[in-house]
């Protein structure tokens, strides 16, 4: 008897295109503007805290849902920056990155057949996330050029089967920052239909042109029906440490903690201790971070426009979505392949952010959490590409 070893669940999604582009980029020795991670150093006081934690023998399992020190630091920061008071003992689960926080949260709340609303284009992971918890995704279009959603379309998508809506603000890949009005509209629908807002806010400090970050958990009535996901990856340039967390009311947290425990047991103990140091850094750190990212955004935006790309200028996060339809390639994959192989610049093909590849066929995404030299190198190659 011949058995097919792959499960039907695993065969419903493909490998991550974002991570694949990094491997292709390494092969061609390209400039990696695909997978979003910094190539500049992380703050030295956080690195020193990690070394101290290892030397101080924080080397065995931490408490499954996170060291008390880190949970306390998360609660303090959530109060001052996001405006919500939480109980660090009962309302936080520290996970292996926000990726695990998202999948653990969805697995903890969604039953097979229940629906999860996802704004499209979406960060690639949310597709497989919904499949892995047997949910039915319902996609709501973010309309170009400002990536607004149609209120009527969203209201129609909610029904008795709607368990959750995934929000990502500031948004990857579009750079959209959801407004207070938009979040209030979503909150009203969550309250009306008894749905949970699962909100990925990892770019909360990367904001441009005076944009303000608002957490949906801070809106009236939403504190106990929101799961807020975050991590140290983007704010402190520590994507490889894999320390993230989910904040939710105590009944939701109890469920998330069980899933988290059996998936991963816990995040690295010494890095959690150092993460507590990161979250307690002087508040001026966040202003500097945003200012430096604004310079990188402005630089890459100008380079891309000069090279003939149509760009969507982001209000937050560290990506620029572009339209490349007029370059005459058959699709986004062909364009991205050409750009990395011939020009030596890796990007993410737009289709990886859409439920149907045709929707992203004219788009590619650039990321810019990079040193000035790296961006200048990319600029040179893109100028060559234009010729
Ligand atoms: N968020 C990053 C991106 O969109 C990648 C994160 C990851 O690969 N885990 O490129």
């Amino acid at each position: 008897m011949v058995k097919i070893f792959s499960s039907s669940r695993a065969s419903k999604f493909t490998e991550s295109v974002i991570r694949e582009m990094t491997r292709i980029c390494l092969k061609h020795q390209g400039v990696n503007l695909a997978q979003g991670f910094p190539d500049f150093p992380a703050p030295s006081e956080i690195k020193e805290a990690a070394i101290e934690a290892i030397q101080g023998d924080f080397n065995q399992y931490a408490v499954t849902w996170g060291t008390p020190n880190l949970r306390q630091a998360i609660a303090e920061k959530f109060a001052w920056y996001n405006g919500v008071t939480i109980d660090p003992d009962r309302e936080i689960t520290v996970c292996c990155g926000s990726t695990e926080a998202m999948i653990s949260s969805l697995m903890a709340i969604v039953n097979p057949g229940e629906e999860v609303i996802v704004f499209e284009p979406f960060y690639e992971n949310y597709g497989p996330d919904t499949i892995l918890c047997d949910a039915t995704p319902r996609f709501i279009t973010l309309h170009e050029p400002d990536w607004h959603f149609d209120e009527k379309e969203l209201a129609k998508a909610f029904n008795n089967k709607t368990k959750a809506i995934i929000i990502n603000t500031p948004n990857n890949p579009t750079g959209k920052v959801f407004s207070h009005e938009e979040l209030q509209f979503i909150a009203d629908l969550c309250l009306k239909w008894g749905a949970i807002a699962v909100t990925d806010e990892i770019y909360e400090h990367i904001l441009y042109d005076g944009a303000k970050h608002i957490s949906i958990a801070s809106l009236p009535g939403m504190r106990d029906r929101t799961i807020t996901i975050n991590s140290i990856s983007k704010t402190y340039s520590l994507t490889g440490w894999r320390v993230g967390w989910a904040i939710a009311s105590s009944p939701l947290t109890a469920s998330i903690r069980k899933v988290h425990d059996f998936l991963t047991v816990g995040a690295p103990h010494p890095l959690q201790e150092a993460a507590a140091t990161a979250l307690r850094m002087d508040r001026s750190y966040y202003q500097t971070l945003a200012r430096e990212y604004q310079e990188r955004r402005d630089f890459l935006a100008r380079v891309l426009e000069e090279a003939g790309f149509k760009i969507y200028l982001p209000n937050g996060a560290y990506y620029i979505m572009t339209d490349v339809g007029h370059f005459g390639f058959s699709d986004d994959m062909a364009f991205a392949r050409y750009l990395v192989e011939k020009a030596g610049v890796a990007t993410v093909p737009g289709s990886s952010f859409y439920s149907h590849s045709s929707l992203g066929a004219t788009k590619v995404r650039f990321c810019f959490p990079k040193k000035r030299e790296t961006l200048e190198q990319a600029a040179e190659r893109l100028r060559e590409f234009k010729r």
Side-chain angles (χ1 to χ4, degrees), residues 45-64:
E45 59 190 285
I46 312 177
K47 291 191 282 198
E48 271 150 29
I51 293 163
E52 246 172 61
I54 291 173
Q55 297 291 11
D57 259 322
F58 288 89
N59 293 319
Q60 309 310 323
Y61 303 120
V63 171
T64 298

Side-chain angles (χ1 to χ4, degrees), residues 116-355:
V116 174
I117 297 175
V118 180
F119 291 105
E120 181 173 42
F122 50 85
Y123 171 50
E124 200 187 30
N125 280 37
Y126 306 154
D129 283 347
T130 53
I131 293 168
L132 285 169
C133 61
D134 290 323
T136 307
R138 285 192 67 138
F139 297 102
I140 295 295
T141 307
L142 294 175
H143 296 277
E144 304 161 29
D146 62 352
W147 308 106
H148 70 277
F149 60 84
D150 182 291
E151 291 190 346
K152 284 203 196 81
E153 192 189 345
L154 183 64
K156 255 174 70 188
F158 275 80
N159 63 65
N160 283 329
K161 286 202 205 133
T162 309
K163 191 55 163 284
I165 176 165
I166 298 178
I167 300 155
N168 173 212
T169 183
N171 184 261
N172 174 10
T174 65
K176 172 187 175 69
V177 177
F178 282 69
S179 69
H180 186 276
E181 202 187 349
E182 287 175 318
L183 292 169
Q184 188 61 61
F185 188 81
I186 297 168
D188 290 343
L189 287 167
C190 287
L191 292 165
K192 176 172 173 194
W193 292 100
I196 295 168
V198 183
T199 171
D200 174 348
E201 302 184 3
I202 59 166
Y203 302 99
E204 66 180 352
H205 289 287
I206 303 177
L207 298 160
Y208 309 114
D209 306 324
K212 290 263 173 306
H213 173 70
I214 297 163
S215 288
I216 194 167
S218 70
L219 301 188
M222 288 305 288
R223 186 197 180 285
D224 291 343
R225 57 175 55 259
T226 298
I227 302 177
T228 306
I229 303 223
N230 216 317
S231 91
I232 58 169
S233 292
K234 314 291 181 181
T235 305
Y236 309 99
S237 306
L238 294 163
T239 62
W241 281 21
R242 313 313 299 135
V243 179
W245 54 88
I247 295 170
S249 66
S250 137
L252 286 173
T253 292
S255 188
I256 296 167
R257 284 179 173 184
K258 280 194 289 180
V259 178
H260 156 72
D261 187 3
F262 288 103
L263 281 180
T264 64
V265 178
H269 193 170
L271 305 186
Q272 290 191 48
E273 290 297 330
T277 302
L279 268 71
R280 293 192 177 111
M281 280 198 312
D282 193 274
R283 294 182 194 183
S284 62
Y285 170 81
Y286 306 103
Q287 280 151 18
T288 309
L289 181 84
R291 198 188 58 240
E292 289 176 350
Y293 269 114
Q294 173 121 15
E295 283 165 17
R296 294 182 189 111
R297 180 202 69 163
D298 292 347
F299 178 79
L300 185 64
R302 202 171 53 245
V303 167
L304 288 172
E305 279 189 323
E306 282 167 11
F309 288 78
K310 180 180 171 217
I311 69 159
Y312 301 88
L313 195 67
N315 290 323
Y318 53 44
Y319 307 98
I320 299 183
M321 194 67 147
T322 66
D323 201 292
V324 297
H326 54 288
F327 287 121
F329 286 77
S330 56
D331 62 16
D332 58 315
M333 297 297 273
F335 183 87
R337 205 168 301 122
Y338 179 89
L339 205 66
V340 67
E341 286 174 9
K342 297 287 189 293
V345 178
T347 59
V348 178
S351 53
S352 70
F353 305 105
Y354 289 88
S355 54

